[in-house]
Amino acid sequence: PEREGMFHRGPGLNLTSGQYTAPIAGYYSFSTTLHIVRREPRRKGQGCRGSSLRVLICVQSRCQHNSNLETISQLGSSSDLFTISVTGTLYLQAGQYASVFVDNMASSALTVQSGSDFSAVLLGV
């Protein structure tokens, strides 16, 4: 948020932990868009086995329970830069937190680039 063009309002977002903590109980709209780059370029003829990426927004880090938003994307072989988004609504109790998790099922190392975003908006109680 210190950089020009970035937006941050409200007490719920902790930039150190990467968590959004709900100030009050209610329904929240969450959204994340991640720009991801493959650190090692694919070699010609390298297979696509295990080339998917799963991104989740989870409540209380409980991604295996039904308190999450999730998308899975196949990483194409034609590019080393990918964009993946997750959007949806979750109910949080006051004091519960939500955060973004990336499950790299690809065969190469990946890095989340600057310009990626995460947002939470209270819809109603």
Side-chain angles (χ1 to χ4, degrees):
E2 294 81 24
R3 293 191 342 218
E4 186 177 326
M6 301 289 283
F7 182 76
H8 172 110
R9 180 169 65 188
L13 182 62
N14 181 324
L15 296 175
T16 303
S17 68
Q19 298 174 342
Y20 176 81
T21 303
I24 63 172
Y27 291 93
Y28 290 81
S29 173
F30 287 96
S31 178
T32 188
T33 300
L34 303 179
H35 305 291
I36 298 172
V37 66
R38 187 175 296 149
R39 290 197 305 210
E40 301 100 23
R42 265 184 191 263
R43 292 183 296 275
K44 191 172 183 175
Q46 184 179 8
C48 293
R49 197 177 109 242
S51 61
S52 60
L53 184 68
R54 184 169 73 141
V55 175
L56 305 100
I57 299 174
C58 303
V59 176
Q60 298 294 111
S61 299
R62 294 184 178 150
C63 295
Q64 66 277 14
H65 295 86
N66 290 328
S67 55
N68 67 63
L69 305 169
E70 173 181 353
T71 190
I72 298 175
S73 179
Q74 295 296 318
L75 304 180
S77 59
S78 62
S79 176
D80 290 326
L81 178 64
F82 310 93
T83 299
I84 187 168
S85 298
V86 179
T87 302
T89 303
L90 293 170
Y91 184 84
L92 273 69
Q93 297 287 341
Q96 283 188 316
Y97 68 87
S99 50
V100 177
F101 290 87
V102 177
D103 184 6
N104 179 5
M105 297 179 280
S107 56
S108 59
L110 304 172
T111 302
V112 176
Q113 296 293 290
S114 62
S116 297
D117 63 64
F118 173 59
S119 66
V121 176
L122 174 64
L123 299 175
V125 292

